[in-house]
């Protein structure tokens, strides 16, 4: 999808992290805010499609997408079709999420009914840990479930190979000691070269990595023939990872933020962690002499402020939700800009706090 995504025609690209409003535009924005955020119909339509970032592969990836982790099978169809109708063109999947087949059914319906064309959507899925020695088979299995001829982006989900449990099965095999059964015979370099073969075969347009730190990313750059287009990592105001983000961007790797608002209820339930959504700096701080919230200042929700912060860092964000109203809310982040001063305030609440903790299930901390 090099040129298949519709973009905002009235604003500069977000690749620079900002779009500027003239003084007239600022006054109009203020007036529209007073009028209940009403906009001329044409302008509102222009704001319904997300901007995109050009990957090193030459393809364009929408800067906001919908993550399908932990989406219930029975609700996926309505959520995917609603998301497409709202304007989403980027969907983030994974073999491990165990719902590729349901996503595939929804996409097939969207294509069949003319709701959207295949070339106009960007579909990501991921190679699971137990399939590092079976990359081609795993990719074909995902393609079959998703009912697609090619993937826009295929990622190595985690930088670890584990005991093979069968293509399409994503159980995390544990040893007798209750610790993840890591396969020490398969290197990440071997896995990466198998990923590169998928591009040569035409099965995948772009390939990337996920949950790689600076050193693993550096190594991948060194041994790769096709550079990783993306590194998908956890990053949000509580876990900003500025060094890793800057390193990736310096070397032409787009950063995608999974868990972009800190996981909220999903991670609290699974990992017992808390979200930055409840931070007082996000919700309330002294602005001049008035105690008000960033959300109130921009007439947005805290989640919208955090997502906008992510896009202004030039990172792609893929929030997950199972609620239609949140689909609308999360997508409406292109009609305002967070000031440099407020970006610095958010920068100041970094706690280096990871909310996604698979060690709880694996018995080993891969990030240690």
């Amino acid at each position: 999808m090099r040129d298949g995504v519709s973009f905002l025609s009235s604003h500069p690209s977000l690749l620079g992290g900002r779009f500027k409003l003239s003084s007239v535009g600022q006054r109009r924005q203020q007036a529209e805010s007073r009028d209940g955020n009403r906009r001329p119909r044409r302008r509102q339509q222009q704001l319904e499609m997300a901007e995109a970032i050009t990957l090193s592969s030459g393809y364009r990836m929408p800067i906001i997408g919908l993550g399908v982790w932990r989406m219930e099978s029975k609700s996926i169809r309505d959520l995917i079709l609603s998301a497409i109708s709202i304007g989403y063109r980027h969907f983030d999947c994974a073999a491990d999420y165990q719902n590729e087949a349901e996503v595939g059914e929804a996409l097939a319906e969207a294509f069949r009914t003319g709701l959207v064309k295949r070339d106009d959507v960007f579909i990501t899925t991921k190679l699971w840990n137990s399939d590092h020695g079976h990359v081609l088979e795993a990719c074909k299995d995902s393609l079959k479930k998703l009912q697609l001829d090619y993937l826009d982006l295929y990622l190595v989900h985690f930088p670890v190979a584990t005991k093979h449990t069968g293509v399409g099965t994503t159980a995390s095999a544990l040893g007798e000691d209750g610790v993840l059964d890591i396969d020490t015979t398969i290197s990440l370099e071997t896995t990466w070269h198998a990923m590169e073969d998928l591009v040569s075969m035409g099965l995948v347009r772009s390939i990337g990595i996920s949950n790689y730190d600076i050193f693993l990313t550096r190594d991948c750059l060194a041994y790769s023939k096709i550079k990783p287009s993306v590194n998908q990592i956890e990053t949000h105001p509580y876990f900003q990872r500025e060094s890793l983000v800057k390193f990736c961007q310096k070397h032409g790797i787009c950063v995608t933020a999974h868990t972009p608002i800190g996981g909220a209820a999903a991670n609290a339930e699974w990992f017992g962690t808390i979200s930055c959504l409840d931070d007082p700096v996000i919700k309330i701080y002294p602005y001049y002499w008035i105690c008000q919230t960033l959300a109130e200042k921009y007439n947005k929700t805290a989640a919208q402020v955090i997502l906008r912060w992510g896009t202004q860092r030039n990172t792609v964000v893929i929030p997950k939700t199972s609620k239609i109203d949140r689909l609308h809310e999360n997508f409406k982040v292109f009609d305002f800009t967070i000031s440099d001063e407020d970006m610095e305030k958010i920068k100041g609440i970094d706690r280096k706090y990871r909310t996604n903790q698979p060690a709880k299930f694996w018995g080993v901390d891969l990030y240690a």
Side-chain angles (χ1 to χ4, degrees):
M1 184 175 63
R2 292 179 185 269
D3 298 306
V5 181
S6 297
F7 310 110
L8 295 171
S9 60
S10 59
H11 299 299
S13 171
L14 288 177
L15 291 174
R18 302 284 191 276
F19 60 80
K20 301 295 185 181
L21 283 173
S22 66
S23 58
V24 173
Q26 290 172 330
R27 290 195 296 272
R28 183 184 298 121
Q29 187 180 56
Q30 292 165 358
E32 289 166 356
S33 178
R34 290 193 297 269
D35 292 336
N37 287 324
R38 290 177 296 181
R39 294 184 185 86
R41 180 179 180 84
R42 181 179 177 185
R43 187 178 176 207
Q44 182 145 5
Q45 290 173 339
Q46 290 171 336
L47 290 170
E48 288 175 352
M49 300 303 297
E51 284 280 354
I53 285 180
T54 300
L55 303 178
S56 60
S57 61
Y59 292 96
R60 303 271 284 174
M61 179 165 67
I63 202 167
I64 188 166
L66 177 63
V68 303
W69 179 57
R70 295 194 67 191
M71 275 192 186
E72 295 183 5
S73 299
K74 62 182 180 182
S75 63
I76 284 179
R77 174 190 174 276
D78 289 343
L79 286 167
I80 295 292
L81 297 179
S82 294
I84 292 172
S85 296
I86 290 167
Y88 286 86
R89 294 295 181 267
H90 176 185
F91 297 93
D92 183 81
C93 314
D96 185 51
Y97 301 164
Q98 290 293 297
N99 56 17
E100 286 178 315
E102 290 78 12
V103 172
E105 288 290 338
L107 291 174
E109 181 176 341
F111 301 152
R112 184 174 62 253
T113 60
L115 183 60
V116 72
K117 296 179 180 179
R118 170 63 184 98
D119 285 345
D120 292 335
V121 293
F122 190 101
I123 307 300
T124 300
T125 197
K126 308 177 190 75
L127 174 77
W128 186 237
N129 306 336
S130 57
D131 286 330
H132 278 225
H134 303 267
V135 174
L136 176 59
E137 298 95 321
C139 178
K140 287 184 175 180
D141 185 67
S142 287
L143 284 169
K144 181 178 179 181
K145 290 175 179 175
L146 290 166
Q147 301 186 42
L148 300 175
D149 295 325
Y150 67 90
L151 296 171
D152 295 282
L153 178 64
Y154 197 41
L155 303 177
V156 179
H157 203 151
F158 281 95
V160 61
T162 61
K163 179 181 178 180
H164 184 57
T165 55
V167 172
T169 64
T170 57
S172 296
L174 304 179
E176 294 181 359
D177 56 359
V179 175
L180 191 67
D181 195 348
I182 296 175
D183 188 338
T184 59
T185 68
I186 304 173
S187 69
L188 292 177
E189 180 175 356
T190 298
T191 300
W192 186 254
H193 291 321
M195 296 282 285
E196 292 173 324
D197 290 341
L198 300 177
V199 178
S200 302
M201 296 176 187
L203 298 176
V204 175
R205 288 185 166 182
S206 303
I207 51 177
I209 53 183
S210 181
N211 299 302
Y212 277 48
D213 62 17
I214 286 180
F215 299 111
L216 291 174
T217 303
R218 175 207 59 189
D219 288 351
C220 188
L221 287 168
Y223 57 63
S224 61
K225 298 176 183 177
I226 301 175
K227 306 299 182 185
S229 293
V230 169
N231 187 7
Q232 185 178 127
I233 61 172
E234 177 180 349
T235 179
H236 46 77
Y238 269 5
F239 197 40
Q240 298 185 22
R241 311 181 80 177
E242 195 71 13
S243 294
L244 177 56
V245 170
K246 287 184 176 179
F247 177 84
C248 288
Q249 291 175 342
K250 178 180 179 179
H251 293 280
I253 301 172
C254 172
V255 172
T256 296
H258 74 68
T259 325
I261 55 177
N267 280 4
E269 179 184 339
W270 272 38
F271 308 114
T273 51
I274 61 174
S275 170
C276 53
L277 279 175
D278 295 320
D279 192 279
V281 174
I282 296 294
K283 285 197 167 182
I284 188 166
Y285 76 95
Y287 180 67
Y288 295 112
W289 62 88
I290 303 174
C291 188
Q292 63 174 351
T293 68
L294 278 174
E296 289 172 348
K297 176 181 177 181
Y298 293 103
N299 195 25
K300 293 290 180 178
T301 65
Q304 287 172 322
V305 170
I306 293 171
L307 293 173
R308 188 68 179 112
W309 170 83
T311 64
Q312 286 186 208
R313 296 176 83 204
N314 302 326
T315 61
V316 172
V317 294
I318 47 170
K320 176 260 178 189
T321 185
S322 296
K323 299 178 179 179
I324 301 296
D325 59 335
R326 293 284 174 82
L327 285 176
H328 286 276
E329 176 185 325
N330 292 343
F331 201 72
K332 294 178 180 178
V333 296
F334 299 106
D335 56 348
F336 74 109
T337 302
I338 301 174
S339 70
D340 291 343
E341 179 184 4
D342 290 337
M343 289 290 287
E344 285 298 312
K345 287 185 179 292
I346 297 175
K347 187 176 182 179
I349 68 169
D350 189 6
R351 294 174 52 183
K352 296 178 171 56
Y353 180 72
R354 186 188 300 277
T355 67
N356 190 295
Q357 296 283 5
K360 178 178 179 180
F361 307 104
W362 293 348
V364 58
D365 185 0
L366 295 181
Y367 303 117

